[in-house]
Amino acid sequence: WKTYVGRQETDRELLSLAMSVLGNGLLEARRLEEALSVQEAELAMLQRHGALIENILIVHGNLANTYEALQRPERALLLRRDVYSGWLKIHGEEHYETIREANNYARFLVDQKRFEEAKKLL
């Protein structure tokens, strides 16, 4: 991580990949607040540089995972819904990413005991 601090953001793809790996690694290690900080920084960088919506949706999905782990279901729910809606709008309902995010969204709703809402996605 320290390798990238202070560097110019000229190689955004490499920097974004490094931040994504770090954020997901911190999440796996249950260093949740640190993971959240890295993921939020990655999202801000992508938004600052007009990244593809697909890349922003991926980071939103990672953030949703982190908010779930932090026991912040209200924020995770908003992100899950937005990620699913985003993929649906871009690629339609039969695209792999849309199906995967529908599954993630439905699983989250079931975990929250919101069964009727989950049924609509399946």
Side-chain angles (χ1 to χ4, degrees):
W1 169 248
K2 290 180 182 180
T3 302
Y4 297 96
V5 172
R7 276 194 180 181
Q8 291 185 359
E9 295 178 357
T10 54
D11 192 352
R12 291 185 299 271
E13 287 182 26
L14 180 61
L15 183 56
S16 181
L17 177 61
M19 292 176 82
S20 179
V21 169
L22 176 61
N24 289 331
L26 289 167
L27 176 61
E28 283 296 315
R30 308 300 295 166
R31 295 173 64 174
L32 304 177
E33 291 295 336
E34 293 165 295
L36 182 62
S37 176
V38 170
Q39 291 167 342
E40 287 175 337
E42 180 186 6
L43 179 61
M45 181 191 67
L46 291 174
Q47 291 172 329
R48 213 174 22 257
H49 294 289
L52 294 173
I53 187 65
E54 288 91 339
N55 293 336
I56 291 173
L57 290 172
I58 290 167
V59 176
H60 278 171
N62 291 340
L63 279 164
N65 292 336
T66 302
Y67 281 120
E68 280 186 63
L70 285 165
Q71 303 294 313
R72 292 171 61 183
E74 65 289 334
R75 186 70 179 120
L77 175 63
L78 294 174
L79 285 167
R80 287 276 174 235
R81 185 197 64 214
D82 291 348
V83 170
Y84 168 67
S85 297
W87 286 112
L88 183 63
K89 183 178 178 180
I90 294 167
H91 292 295
E93 63 185 22
E94 294 186 20
H95 189 270
Y96 170 79
E97 295 292 343
T98 306
I99 293 168
R100 184 182 64 170
E101 292 306 329
N103 184 60
N104 288 340
Y105 187 21
R107 180 208 38 86
F108 178 79
L109 290 169
V110 167
D111 289 348
Q112 297 299 308
K113 311 253 185 288
R114 296 171 72 159
F115 303 115
E116 291 304 316
E117 291 172 80
K119 282 182 189 178
K120 295 175 185 176
L121 292 167
L122 303 175

